[in-house]
Coordinates of all heavy atoms in Angstrom, one line a residue:
Chain L
V408 N -75.3 128.8 128.4 CA -74.4 129.2 129.5 C -74.8 128.6 130.8 O -74.0 128.1 131.6 CB -74.1 130.7 129.5 CG1 -73.5 131.2 130.7 CG2 -73.6 131.2 128.3
A409 N -76.1 128.7 131.2 CA -76.7 128.3 132.4 C -76.4 126.8 132.4 O -76.0 126.2 133.4 CB -78.1 128.6 132.5
G410 N -76.6 126.1 131.3 CA -76.5 124.7 131.2 C -75.1 124.2 131.4 O -74.8 123.2 132.1
V411 N -74.1 125.0 130.9 CA -72.8 124.6 131.3 C -72.5 124.7 132.8 O -71.9 123.7 133.3 CB -71.8 125.6 130.5 CG1 -70.4 125.3 131.0 CG2 -71.8 125.1 129.0
R412 N -72.9 125.8 133.4 CA -72.7 126.0 134.8 C -73.2 124.8 135.5 O -72.8 124.1 136.6 CB -73.2 127.3 135.3 CG -73.2 127.4 136.7 CD -71.7 127.3 137.5 NE -70.7 128.1 136.8 CZ -70.3 129.3 137.2 NH1 -70.9 129.9 138.3 NH2 -69.4 130.0 136.6
A413 N -74.6 124.5 135.1 CA -75.3 123.4 135.9 C -74.7 122.0 135.8 O -74.6 121.4 136.7 CB -76.8 123.3 135.3
R414 N -74.2 121.7 134.7 CA -73.5 120.6 134.4 C -72.2 120.5 135.2 O -71.9 119.4 135.8 CB -73.1 120.4 132.8 CG -72.5 119.1 132.5 CD -72.5 118.8 131.1 NE -71.8 117.7 130.7 CZ -71.7 117.2 129.4 NH1 -72.3 118.1 128.4 NH2 -71.2 116.3 129.1
E415 N -71.5 121.5 135.2 CA -70.1 121.6 136.0 C -70.7 121.2 137.6 O -69.9 120.5 138.3 CB -69.6 123.0 136.1 CG -68.9 123.4 134.8 CD -68.5 124.8 135.0 OE1 -68.8 125.6 135.9 OE2 -67.9 125.3 134.0
L416 N -71.7 121.8 138.1 CA -72.1 121.6 139.4 C -72.6 120.2 139.7 O -72.2 119.6 140.7 CB -73.3 122.6 139.8 CG -72.9 124.0 139.8 CD1 -74.1 124.9 139.7 CD2 -72.1 124.4 141.1
L417 N -73.2 119.6 138.7 CA -73.7 118.2 138.8 C -72.5 117.3 138.9 O -72.3 116.3 139.7 CB -74.6 117.6 137.8 CG -76.1 118.2 137.8 CD1 -76.8 117.5 136.7 CD2 -76.6 117.8 139.2
E418 N -71.4 117.6 138.1 CA -70.1 116.9 138.1 C -69.3 117.0 139.4 O -68.6 116.1 139.8 CB -69.3 117.3 136.9 CG -69.8 116.6 135.6 CD -69.1 117.3 134.4 OE1 -68.4 118.2 134.4 OE2 -69.7 116.9 133.2
L419 N -69.7 118.1 140.1 CA -69.1 118.3 141.4 C -69.8 117.7 142.5 O -69.6 117.8 143.7 CB -68.8 119.7 141.8 CG -67.8 120.5 140.8 CD1 -68.0 122.1 141.0 CD2 -66.4 120.0 141.1
N420 N -71.0 117.0 142.1 CA -71.9 116.3 142.9 C -72.8 117.2 143.8 O -73.2 116.9 144.9 CB -71.0 115.4 143.9 CG -71.7 113.9 144.0 OD1 -72.7 113.8 143.3 ND2 -71.2 113.2 145.0
E421 N -73.0 118.5 143.2 CA -73.8 119.4 143.9 C -75.3 119.0 143.7 O -75.6 118.5 142.6 CB -73.6 120.8 143.4 CG -72.4 121.4 143.7 CD -72.4 122.2 145.0 OE1 -73.5 122.3 145.7 OE2 -71.3 122.6 145.5
D422 N -76.2 119.4 144.7 CA -77.7 119.2 144.3 C -78.1 120.4 143.8 O -78.0 121.6 144.3 CB -78.4 119.0 145.7 CG -78.2 117.6 146.2 OD1 -77.6 116.7 145.5 OD2 -78.5 117.4 147.5
L423 N -79.0 120.3 142.6 CA -79.5 121.5 141.9 C -81.0 121.5 142.0 O -81.7 120.5 142.0 CB -79.1 121.5 140.4 CG -77.6 121.4 140.0 CD1 -77.5 121.6 138.5 CD2 -76.9 122.4 140.7
V424 N -81.4 122.8 142.0 CA -83.0 123.0 141.9 C -83.1 123.9 140.8 O -82.5 125.0 140.7 CB -83.4 123.8 143.2 CG1 -84.9 124.0 143.1 CG2 -83.3 122.8 144.4
I425 N -84.1 123.6 139.8 CA -84.5 124.7 138.8 C -86.0 125.0 139.3 O -86.9 124.2 139.4 CB -84.6 124.0 137.4 CG1 -83.2 123.5 137.1 CG2 -85.0 124.9 136.5 CD1 -83.1 122.6 135.8
L426 N -86.0 126.3 139.6 CA -87.2 126.9 140.2 C -88.0 127.6 139.2 O -87.5 128.7 138.8 CB -86.9 127.6 141.5 CG -88.1 128.4 142.0 CD1 -89.2 127.4 142.7 CD2 -87.5 129.3 143.3
C427 N -89.2 127.2 138.7 CA -89.9 127.9 137.8 C -90.7 128.9 138.6 O -91.1 128.6 139.7 CB -90.9 126.9 137.0 SG -90.0 125.6 136.2
S428 N -91.0 130.1 137.8 CA -91.8 131.0 138.5 C -93.3 130.7 138.4 O -94.2 131.1 139.1 CB -91.5 132.3 137.8 OG -90.2 132.7 138.0
G429 N -93.6 129.9 137.3 CA -95.1 129.7 137.2 C -95.9 130.8 137.0 O -95.4 132.0 136.6
R430 N -97.2 130.6 137.0 CA -98.1 131.7 136.7 C -99.2 131.9 137.6 O -100.0 131.1 137.9 CB -98.7 131.3 135.3 CG -99.6 132.5 134.8 CD -99.9 132.2 133.2 NE -101.1 132.9 132.9 CZ -101.0 134.3 132.7 NH1 -99.8 134.9 132.8 NH2 -102.2 134.8 132.4
E431 N -99.0 132.8 138.6 CA -100.0 133.0 139.6 C -100.2 131.8 140.4 O -101.3 131.4 140.7 CB -101.2 133.6 139.1 CG -101.1 135.2 138.8 CD -102.0 135.6 137.6 OE1 -103.0 134.9 137.4 OE2 -101.4 136.2 136.8
G432 N -99.1 131.2 140.9 CA -99.1 130.0 141.8 C -99.4 128.7 140.9 O -99.5 127.7 141.5
N433 N -99.6 128.7 139.6 CA -100.0 127.6 138.9 C -98.8 127.3 137.9 O -97.9 128.1 137.8 CB -101.2 127.9 138.0 CG -102.4 127.6 138.8 OD1 -102.5 126.8 139.7 ND2 -103.5 128.4 138.5
F434 N -98.9 126.0 137.5 CA -97.9 125.5 136.5 C -97.8 126.3 135.2 O -99.0 126.7 134.7 CB -98.4 124.1 136.2 CG -97.7 123.4 135.2 CD1 -96.5 122.7 135.4 CD2 -98.1 123.4 133.8 CE1 -95.8 122.1 134.5 CE2 -97.4 122.8 132.7 CZ -96.3 122.2 133.1
G435 N -96.8 126.6 134.8 CA -96.6 127.3 133.4 C -95.8 126.4 132.5 O -94.7 126.1 132.8
L436 N -96.4 126.2 131.4 CA -95.7 125.4 130.3 C -94.4 126.0 130.0 O -93.4 125.4 129.6 CB -96.7 125.1 129.0 CG -96.1 124.4 127.8 CD1 -95.7 123.0 128.3 CD2 -97.2 124.3 126.8
D437 N -94.5 127.3 129.7 CA -93.3 128.1 129.2 C -92.0 127.8 130.2 O -90.9 127.4 129.7 CB -93.5 129.5 129.0 CG -94.2 130.1 130.2 OD1 -94.9 129.4 131.1 OD2 -94.0 131.3 130.5
D438 N -92.2 127.9 131.4 CA -91.1 127.6 132.3 C -90.8 126.3 132.5 O -89.6 125.8 132.7 CB -91.5 128.3 133.7 CG -91.5 129.8 133.7 OD1 -90.8 130.4 132.9 OD2 -92.1 130.3 134.7
A439 N -91.6 125.4 132.5 CA -91.5 124.0 132.6 C -90.6 123.4 131.5 O -89.7 122.6 131.6 CB -92.8 123.2 132.7
Y440 N -90.9 123.9 130.2 CA -90.2 123.4 129.1 C -88.7 124.1 129.2 O -87.7 123.4 128.9 CB -90.9 124.1 127.8 CG -90.0 123.9 126.5 CD1 -89.7 122.5 125.9 CD2 -89.2 124.8 126.0 CE1 -89.1 122.4 124.8 CE2 -88.4 124.7 124.9 CZ -88.3 123.5 124.4 OH -87.5 123.2 123.2

Side-chain angles (χ1 to χ4, degrees):
Chain L
V408 168
V411 168
R412 174 59 52 91
R414 188 169 174 173
E415 285 174 356
L416 290 162
L417 281 186
E418 279 164 4
L419 294 169
N420 229 5
E421 291 272 355
D422 287 346
L423 300 191
V424 177
I425 304 174
L426 177 60
C427 300
S428 300
R430 190 170 156 73
E431 283 143 38
N433 276 326
F434 174 86
L436 176 59
D437 48 332
D438 287 342
Y440 173 80

